[in-house]
Structure formats: C-alpha cells, structure tokens
Amino acid sequence: MDNPLVMKLEQFRRLPDEDRRLLEDLTSGRQQRLGAREDVIREGEHSPDIHIVMSGLACRYKILANGGRQIMAFLVPGDPCDAEIFILKAMDHSIGTLAPSVIAAIPGETMQELLLSRPGIALAFWWNTLQDEGVLRERIIDVGRRDAYSRIAFLIYEILLRLRAVGVVGDTGFDFPVTQTDLADATGLTPVHVNRMLQRLREEGLIVAEGRRWTVTDPAGLRRAAEYEASYLHLDRAKDEPESEVGRRLKGLI
Amino acid sequence: MDNPLVMKLEQFRRLPDEDRRLLEDLTSGRQQRLGAREDVIREGEHSPDIHIVMSGLACRYKILANGGRQIMAFLVPGDPCDAEIFILKAMDHSIGTLAPSVIAAIPGETMQELLLSRPGIALAFWWNTLQDEGVLRERIIDVGRRDAYSRIAFLIYEILLRLRAVGVVGDTGFDFPVTQTDLADATGLTPVHVNRMLQRLREEGLIVAEGRRWTVTDPAGLRRAAEYEASYLHLDRAKDEPESEVGRRLKGLI
DNA sequence: CGATTCATTGACCGGGATCAAGAACCGTGG
DNA sequence: CCACGGTTCTTGATCCCGGTCAATGAATCG
C-alpha cells in the first residue's frame, strides 16, 4: 500500500480496489534502481516499457545545440514518465534522475491492455496527461513573464505542493536533492543568479535549505512571492472533499 | 472534403473513409462564426461542447495578475481547442480568436461515444494531445533559452510549418493576421522589441510582411535563425512517406 | 587528505524593458 | 472625397535585471 502511482492517480478520482491492486502489482513487478544523474530513457529512443517514478526525483530534459540543458519538468514519485511511448516512434526529450531513484517498468502491451480493459485507469492516465500539460503551460508563463525571484519561488512552491499531494512531505520539510545548477536549468537562469534569489528567499524567512533538505517556513509568504494560482493542477476533487486523503494532505496550500 | 480536422488527424495516420466521413459530419454540424478578438471559451468555464478551429486563427492564453496576457499556443485550422473538457471541471486557460474564425462545436457526449467506438480516431486525438505537449515543451525552451531574435524566428517558422501541414499555405506566403502585440504576448517580449527583431529578419531577407500577409522568402535561413529542430512535432509518417499528402506539403521544411 | 563538485561573492556588461513621441494605417461618418 | 479618432507600427533615449567572468570557500568523496 501507499503505492505512489495509486496515490497519484487517485488525486483525480478514487479507484476501485481491483484497479488499485492491478496497479500495485504492475509497479512492483520489474523495478530498476538508478543512481543520481542517470538516464531513464533518452531522446530519440524507443522503449518497449513505460516507466513510473516510484521514489527519488527525475526530470524531463533536453540537451540544446549549445550544450546547455533545459529541464522542462520535474517528476516526483507516482509520475509516469512516458505512458504514451507506444503511440510515438521515439521520445522527443530525455528523462533522467536527479537523485537516486527507483523506477518501475511496465511492458507496453500490458499497459495497452490495461487502458482498454479498465476505463477508470485510462481516464486517470488521461487526466494525468492533462495535468502535465497544465504544468507545462504554467511553466511557460513562469519562464516568459515572471522575474527571477518569483520564478524560483514558484518552482519551489509547486514542488512542495506536488510532493505533498503524493504524500512524501512531512509538515516541516522535504527532501529535494537538486543542485542550484539543476534549478538554473529548470528556470532558464544562471546558477549564480539562482543562488542570489535563494539567498533572498532565505533572508525573507520563506525557506530554509540545509543540504538536500528543504523546509518551507512560510508557505503563505512563498506563495505570495510566487504569485501562485493552483487551479491548473486540477486537484478539484481534493478541494471539494476536504475529508479526502489528498484534501488533508494539501490543507492550507491551495 | 479538405476538412481541416481530418487533415490534422491524418498527419499521424491515415483514417478509414468512414472515420473521415464521421469527422466531416461532426464538424459541419454546428459552427459559429467569430470575429477577431472574441473568446471561444474562458478560463474557469465549462462547456458541454468541444471546439475545433475550422478556419482563421485562435490561441490559448491566460490573463495574468498584473493584467498582462500570455499566449501559450496558437491554434490553426484543424486544431481541437478542448477535446478533453469533459474530463476536467473547468478550463485552466482561455481560448480566443486572433482573426475572424469559424469554430465547430461537437457535443461532449458525441465526442465520448466517438472516442470509445472508433479507436483510430481516439488514437489520433491522443496523438494530437502529445503533439501539443511537444509544442509546449519546445516553447519552454524557446522562452527560457533562446534570445529574442531566434525566438521570433522560431515562432514564425513553426507557424509556417503547421499551416503548411494543414494545407492553408501557398508556396509564396500565408495569412497570419496577428499584431506585433500578439507576438509579444506569445514570446514574452515587449511589442517594441518584437518590432526591432522583425525589422532585422526583414533586413536579412528572411521574411516579408505586408499587412496581415506574411511571406517567408528564405525558409532555410529562417530555420537557421530559429535554431529549429522539428522532431517534437512527430510528423514521422510524413517524413517516412514522402509520397503522402502531408509529406508533399512539408517538403524541404523538416 | 587531495580532488572534484557545489555554493558564494564581487565587478562589470549587455540584452531587452521602459518611457515617450511620431508616423502610418485603418474603419467610420460627414 | 476628406476629416477623425483609434489602433498599430516605428524610432530614440535611458535604465536595470540578470548574464558573464573569475576567484574563493565549503562540502563531499574516493
């Protein structure tokens, strides 16, 4: 139990017990343990399996012509990496770990059967894709319109929210094992400037970061700094049912 | 025939005649004619229908807290606006026209039935969602990493490609009825700076813009200026089958 | 305990924002 | 046909956010 994929998909809609069991079985089948900074799948490749992050932290990224790296999304436990790989001939971006992680592999055919036979699961996966799209759109605003300060605040706040929703965050803090260079690659800033903005967030008492352990000391303040609007995550059920799992986990944040 | 939705979906995979006919019937049923700068659907709203751009030009956008507008995607003929609306409770962004447009409306239930009964169409729509995601990811790189000059060049090149793929571009030029303010809202630049970059592109003989009519005089040059990589559009079939419709339309561009 | 990665600090520079003012281009009505 | 008010486009002057370069600590790890 406490399977992160189940938790992730249930952010949208409660699943019947049988669906849960199916998902748990699938994700506990083949798992690979990766260190930090290893690739799950590379741009241009095609994999017969689809991958799910079970623990740790990964990201979608692309290496640019000039050698730079753009991180387009963080993947937290429960996030499917490439649920749609069997539709496309090749990945148009790479997926790599940022921290030591456990990645589950589900055969593409199994996945297809699952999507065809269990409409509830198919719906949940589709919804997940839409949430991903929402996150991407928000990141465009982030990169295009917000200044460096809000951008960093935004990124941290979103990660806090998503980690909370999937249940791997205590009240006080959370593990977010990224370097400032990683943050720079995700925000389109330079590491130097990321450093300065983090200092400002700390000076203002919004966050504490010691090593890989982050603590958001003033969630409301951080949210203000980020100019945050949570609607795009479509955590509707959670908001509407404050008694639900996810609702409790996100209390006071959205 | 020459239904833009059919053309769009067939970029991925040839559809059986019956599927085509179904799509043609659906899109010719209820249509609305909108002027420029009208909303198809607004953030927070829920519509019983899903919408398809049949002609003209629309965009996904969001109004920010400071009053600014961020355009996150352009929608050209054949593009579905909100194929997934029946999954979500509310739109997390708005869709509006930039030019006078014809928008087809398909009832949500009809859409659901269609997706369940015609796997080929469901697959094509799913693929379309994935292409959208690819475009979004590319835009993040665009906004995050490229300088203003490449950003504008990129935007124009992508529009050229997408209009070509759907068959509404002659060899010489195409209608792209946007203001420089629209381009600014799409790229995260100021109108003033957009203007200067367009001047540069013109000086260098890459494009000609007279009124709403644009002509790309040097596609290869524009592509270079844009640092363009087309893989994310997943127009695989087109590349692999140079004899296909789409292949012919895109010759020399990807 | 060296060696390599990561965080931090400072000096300087430049791309693009901002502000402001004209010019060209509308559609509209007299 | 022209006069008009309103967009849109263009140009110039100035400023500032964030990039660049470079050096120094701090931390992690064979």
Side-chain angles (χ1 to χ4, degrees):
Chain A
M1 61 156 316
D2 274 14
N3 180 296
L5 177 59
V6 173
M7 276 187 149
K8 171 82 188 186
L9 295 183
E10 287 208 320
Q11 284 174 25
F12 173 51
R13 177 175 296 283
R14 185 162 212 83
L15 294 172
D17 285 345
E18 190 177 343
D19 283 358
R20 293 183 177 213
R21 237 176 303 112
L22 270 170
L23 291 171
E24 278 167 20
D25 287 352
L26 282 177
T27 48
S28 57
R30 273 190 300 133
Q31 293 193 338
Q32 51 181 325
R33 219 161 264 283
L34 293 182
R37 260 146 255 285
E38 294 189 46
D39 280 329
V40 176
I41 185 168
R42 242 180 297 266
E43 178 172 355
E45 284 181 2
H46 179 89
S47 160
D49 303 324
I50 73 140
H51 302 91
I52 316 274
V53 178
M54 298 305 285
S55 72
L57 185 69
C59 68
R60 299 179 191 279
Y61 74 92
K62 226 169 176 171
I63 299 295
L64 310 178
N66 61 23
R69 176 183 64 158
Q70 175 73 44
I71 293 179
M72 287 158 306
F74 289 105
L75 298 171
V76 303
D79 281 338
C81 300
D82 45 12
E84 59 287 335
I85 184 69
F86 51 83
I87 293 198
L88 301 177
K89 289 195 183 162
M91 292 287 289
D92 63 3
H93 62 281
S94 302
I95 291 175
T97 59
L98 294 170
S101 308
V102 175
I103 310 289
I106 305 177
E109 304 94 63
T110 312
M111 185 68 191
Q112 278 201 64
E113 284 164 26
L114 193 71
L115 292 179
L116 289 174
S117 61
R118 317 294 307 181
I121 291 181
L123 203 64
F125 268 102
W126 196 355
W127 164 81
N128 178 66
T129 304
L130 297 180
Q131 190 192 50
D132 277 358
E133 256 191 66
V135 173
L136 283 176
R137 275 192 290 266
E138 208 58 29
R139 179 119 300 133
I140 288 176
I141 295 178
D142 197 36
V143 178
R145 291 295 178 194
R146 280 182 258 254
D147 64 10
Y149 175 71
S150 303
R151 229 185 279 181
I152 294 289
F154 184 90
L155 191 154
I156 297 170
Y157 196 77
E158 185 186 293
I159 286 290
L160 168 66
L161 235 160
R162 287 173 55 200
L163 288 179
R164 275 268 183 101
V166 86
V168 298
V169 177
D171 276 348
T172 54
F174 55 96
D175 283 319
F176 187 46
V178 292
T179 67
Q180 294 182 359
T181 303
D182 293 332
L183 294 180
D185 287 343
T187 51
L189 300 168
T190 54
V192 174
H193 208 62
V194 168
N195 182 286
R196 292 195 241 262
M197 294 302 107
L198 285 178
Q199 283 179 52
R200 211 174 122 196
L201 289 172
R202 279 186 295 224
E203 278 166 23
E204 293 170 354
L206 303 181
I207 63 168
V208 173
E210 27 203 20
R212 311 278 96 133
R213 184 100 195 144
W214 294 60
T215 308
V216 175
T217 42
D218 179 1
L222 186 61
R223 185 187 169 152
R224 240 175 291 118
E227 303 163 20
Y228 197 83
E229 274 292 334
S231 72
Y232 71 93
L233 283 177
H234 295 289
L235 299 171
D236 310 271
R237 192 181 75 99
K239 249 189 313 193
D240 296 349
E241 300 177 25
E243 299 311 311
S244 76
E245 272 294 306
V246 185
R248 254 195 309 99
R249 277 183 249 135
L250 294 178
K251 186 135 71 175
L253 288 181
I254 57 176
Chain B
M1 59 155 319
D2 273 18
N3 180 297
L5 177 60
V6 173
M7 276 185 148
K8 171 84 187 185
L9 295 184
E10 287 208 321
Q11 284 174 26
F12 173 50
R13 178 175 295 284
R14 183 159 214 86
L15 294 172
D17 286 346
E18 190 176 344
D19 283 358
R20 294 181 174 213
R21 238 176 301 112
L22 270 169
L23 291 171
E24 278 168 19
D25 288 352
L26 281 176
T27 48
S28 57
R30 273 190 302 131
Q31 292 194 339
Q32 51 181 320
R33 220 161 263 284
L34 293 181
R37 259 143 256 284
E38 293 188 46
D39 280 329
V40 177
I41 185 168
R42 242 180 296 265
E43 179 172 356
E45 284 182 2
H46 180 87
S47 159
D49 302 324
I50 73 141
H51 302 92
I52 315 273
V53 178
M54 298 305 285
S55 72
L57 186 70
C59 68
R60 300 180 189 279
Y61 73 93
K62 227 170 174 170
I63 299 295
L64 311 178
N66 61 23
R69 175 183 64 160
Q70 175 73 44
I71 292 178
M72 288 158 303
F74 289 105
L75 298 171
V76 303
D79 281 337
C81 300
D82 45 13
E84 58 287 337
I85 185 69
F86 52 83
I87 294 197
L88 302 176
K89 290 197 180 158
M91 291 288 289
D92 63 4
H93 63 281
S94 303
I95 290 175
T97 59
L98 293 170
S101 307
V102 175
I103 310 290
I106 304 178
E109 303 95 64
T110 311
M111 185 68 191
Q112 277 201 66
E113 285 164 28
L114 193 70
L115 291 179
L116 289 174
S117 62
R118 317 293 308 181
I121 291 181
L123 202 64
F125 268 103
W126 196 354
W127 165 82
N128 178 65
T129 305
L130 297 180
Q131 189 192 51
D132 278 358
E133 257 193 64
V135 173
L136 282 175
R137 275 192 289 266
E138 208 58 28
R139 178 120 299 135
I140 288 176
I141 295 178
D142 195 37
V143 178
R145 291 295 178 193
R146 279 182 258 255
D147 64 9
Y149 174 72
S150 303
R151 228 185 280 181
I152 294 288
F154 185 90
L155 191 153
I156 297 170
Y157 196 77
E158 183 185 295
I159 286 291
L160 168 66
L161 235 160
R162 287 174 56 201
L163 289 178
R164 273 268 183 102
V166 85
V168 299
V169 176
D171 276 348
T172 52
F174 56 96
D175 284 320
F176 187 47
V178 293
T179 67
Q180 294 182 358
T181 303
D182 293 332
L183 294 180
D185 288 342
T187 51
L189 300 169
T190 52
V192 174
H193 209 61
V194 168
N195 182 284
R196 292 195 239 263
M197 293 303 106
L198 286 177
Q199 283 178 51
R200 213 175 121 196
L201 289 172
R202 277 186 296 224
E203 277 166 21
E204 293 170 355
L206 303 182
I207 63 167
V208 173
E210 27 203 20
R212 311 279 94 133
R213 185 100 195 144
W214 294 59
T215 307
V216 174
T217 41
D218 180 0
L222 186 60
R223 185 185 171 154
R224 240 174 291 117
E227 304 162 21
Y228 198 83
E229 273 293 332
S231 72
Y232 70 93
L233 283 178
H234 294 288
L235 299 171
D236 310 271
R237 193 182 74 99
K239 251 191 306 195
D240 296 349
E241 300 178 25
E243 298 310 311
S244 75
E245 272 295 306
V246 185
R248 254 194 310 101
R249 276 184 248 135
L250 294 177
K251 187 135 69 173
L253 289 180
I254 57 177

